[in-house]
Amino acid sequence: MERTKIEDPQKEAVRLLQSTLARITEIRKSKNPKFTLKEMSEHLGVDHSSYCRIENGTQTLSLERFFEICFYLEVDPWRILALAKD
């Protein structure tokens, strides 16, 4: 398998993170009933503003927190990452 050379890895990492966060927000809002920011923050044990900052990309999203969010939303983490790549 041939690797694709990325010209600016930092820029690509930021793009992928933003896309991942957008996908998380989209999935959260598409649930029926949709999960509110308050419900997400309560489930994750963080305050409302902290969770808002996670979705907005102004607070670091750890890999552990990413998996917690995916499992709570009942979505495969690989699905979110694959969609973020496109």
Side-chain angles (χ1 to χ4, degrees):
M1 184 171 158
E2 204 172 306
R3 291 187 182 185
T4 305
K5 181 166 172 53
I6 297 172
E7 294 298 320
D8 187 344
Q10 184 176 2
K11 186 176 181 180
E12 182 64 9
V14 169
R15 186 193 70 75
L16 287 172
L17 179 59
Q18 289 171 339
S19 181
T20 298
L21 294 172
R23 186 72 182 132
I24 287 172
T25 302
E26 180 183 317
I27 290 169
R28 176 181 60 78
K29 290 179 176 180
S30 72
K31 289 292 182 177
N32 188 13
K34 76 177 185 178
F35 291 111
T36 64
L37 291 169
K38 183 177 186 239
E39 289 170 320
M40 292 297 295
S41 63
E42 288 173 354
H43 174 76
L44 297 170
V46 298
D47 60 48
H48 181 268
S49 62
S50 291
Y51 186 75
C52 288
R53 287 193 304 272
I54 289 171
E55 276 198 13
N56 292 330
T58 57
Q59 182 168 319
T60 302
L61 174 63
S62 70
L63 190 56
E64 180 180 359
R65 182 71 72 199
F66 170 71
F67 283 120
E68 286 180 71
I69 291 168
C70 291
F71 297 147
Y72 185 61
L73 293 174
E74 298 177 338
V75 63
D76 183 346
W78 297 111
R79 180 173 163 240
I80 290 179
L81 293 173
L83 291 170
K85 185 179 175 189
D86 296 334

